[in-house]
Amino acid sequence: MRVRNALVRECMAEFLGTFVLLLFGCKAAAQVKTSRESKGQYLSVNMAFSEGVMSAMHLSKGISGAHLNPAVTLSFCVLGHVSWDRLVPYSLSQLLGAYMASGLVYLVYYDAIMNFSEGVLTVYGPNETASIFATYPSEFLSLGRSFLDQVVGTGMLMLCILGLDEQRNTPAPTQLIPAIVAAVVLGISMSMSGNCGAAINPARDLGPRLFTLTAGWGTEVFTCYNYWFWVPLVAPPIGALVGTFLYQILISWHLPDPKHPERVSHVSTITTAVTQPEPAQEKGSELGHICCNTEYNKHGH
């Protein structure tokens, strides 16, 4: 039963990982919305998406690298950690996973959604239910500001995750990387979701939006708020590239070269004391501790 084609295996992992991520997040959103916050609050949704990220990474990281996000896949392609022929298949798998998860959430919470909305599926008004699935901007938010919001949020995501397995810096234990990424996503959700929901993931937004289009909400999910739907599609990839380039320019390029390690002073963030390097003849045996393997695996994790 083992699938021999590597690309198919990886796409299956990306599909299932994104499915799990959206299932956690959108089910929490449905529970909070339809109960009118009597069974959870906005923080519950943020925490559920973060739990979904952690679970999805544990589930699929060993096969595909658990990108779960076309913007992340694009950044790893630019860095050379993933071959470009993976970009479209991964992205489509992530999109399909998000779509299917939205469908399951709709089936599970159908009665609650219909009771809450009085049978009228809409994007606007106090009984709107479209926001259970996709993200939408606050009414006061301009298009340009929402675009900036998504660029900044996705840029922060990439800045915070690119160094997690950087052996030349302070890498995180491999087993803890999913939990740390989940904490990063939680921090972004708690601090940058007020404007327009912190999609920071084209598949996370477009998959559910396509589902609501086909499930009865109609074309309004694409035309509302001055055709806002394109913002979470275009801004996250740009933000991911901005975050990636900032990491490369300000951090990665200045880390010690494993072939030619630099001898630098080490500043203790606890005592603020500076330890000066000892003479070369006395410290030569310790230079090897600075020389670390910097090669990422082909998926960038």
Side-chain angles (χ1 to χ4, degrees):
M1 294 296 291
R2 179 179 174 84
V3 176
R4 297 187 179 277
N5 186 288
L7 178 58
V8 174
R9 291 199 303 266
E10 293 158 14
C11 288
M12 289 168 58
E14 286 298 313
F15 165 83
L16 188 59
T18 312
F19 178 89
V20 168
L21 165 60
L22 268 293
L23 195 65
F24 270 99
C26 290
K27 287 189 79 171
Q31 177 173 302
V32 171
K33 169 72 74 172
T34 58
S35 70
R36 301 187 187 276
E37 297 193 357
S38 66
K39 297 179 181 178
Q41 293 77 38
Y42 192 58
L43 179 60
S44 306
V45 182
N46 294 335
M47 294 181 69
F49 269 109
S50 301
E51 172 66 23
V53 168
M54 182 174 66
S55 300
M57 288 191 68
H58 276 296
L59 184 66
S60 58
K61 188 175 186 295
I63 298 177
S64 67
H67 297 179
L68 314 174
N69 185 337
V72 172
T73 303
L74 174 63
S75 292
F76 287 144
C77 288
V78 170
L79 290 172
H81 300 156
V82 176
S83 61
W84 282 97
D85 62 1
R86 258 56 177 173
L87 177 59
V88 173
Y90 275 31
S91 298
L92 291 177
S93 300
Q94 295 154 0
L95 179 65
L96 181 60
Y99 182 95
M100 296 301 293
S102 301
L104 183 55
V105 171
Y106 180 69
L107 288 176
V108 172
Y109 277 94
Y110 177 82
D111 294 334
I113 290 172
M114 289 302 170
N115 178 69
F116 176 85
S117 65
E118 299 178 352
V120 180
L121 302 179
T122 182
V123 177
Y124 297 103
N127 293 332
E128 65 83 16
T129 47
S131 63
I132 290 174
F133 301 95
T135 60
Y136 293 89
S138 300
E139 294 184 0
F140 57 80
L141 195 66
S142 68
L143 205 60
R145 204 79 65 190
S146 64
F147 191 91
L148 176 63
D149 177 276
Q150 290 296 287
V151 169
V152 172
T154 318
M156 284 298 297
L157 174 67
M158 293 308 301
L159 271 176
C160 293
I161 69 175
L162 280 176
L164 291 180
D165 58 356
E166 175 57 79
Q167 298 301 315
R168 298 174 297 166
N169 201 343
T170 51
T174 302
Q175 297 86 345
L176 291 181
I177 287 179
I180 295 172
V181 174
V184 170
V185 172
L186 178 61
I188 292 172
S189 298
M190 292 177 64
S191 61
M192 305 181 195
S193 61
N195 281 337
C196 47
I200 61 173
N201 182 341
R204 174 266 174 273
D205 189 83
L206 181 59
R209 197 177 300 275
L210 287 172
F211 172 77
T212 53
L213 171 68
T214 58
W217 279 263
T219 58
E220 193 174 45
V221 298
F222 283 94
T223 60
C224 66
Y225 298 105
N226 195 25
Y227 294 88
W228 183 84
F229 79 93
W230 66 270
V231 173
L233 293 182
V234 178
I238 293 175
L241 293 178
V242 170
T244 298
F245 292 143
L246 285 175
Y247 176 80
Q248 290 293 106
I249 294 170
L250 300 179
I251 301 294
S252 183
W253 292 351
H254 310 291
L255 292 172
D257 187 332
K259 296 180 180 179
H260 304 286
E262 296 178 1
R263 296 160 45 73
V264 296
S265 298
H266 300 283
V267 181
S268 169
T269 56
I270 299 176
T271 64
T272 69
V274 178
T275 303
Q276 297 295 334
E278 298 179 14
Q281 62 270 23
E282 298 180 15
K283 294 290 287 183
S285 62
E286 297 184 13
L287 292 178
H289 294 293
I290 304 177
C291 300
C292 300
N293 177 25
T294 63
E295 183 180 357
Y296 284 71
N297 66 30
K298 69 175 182 177
H299 304 298
H301 291 281

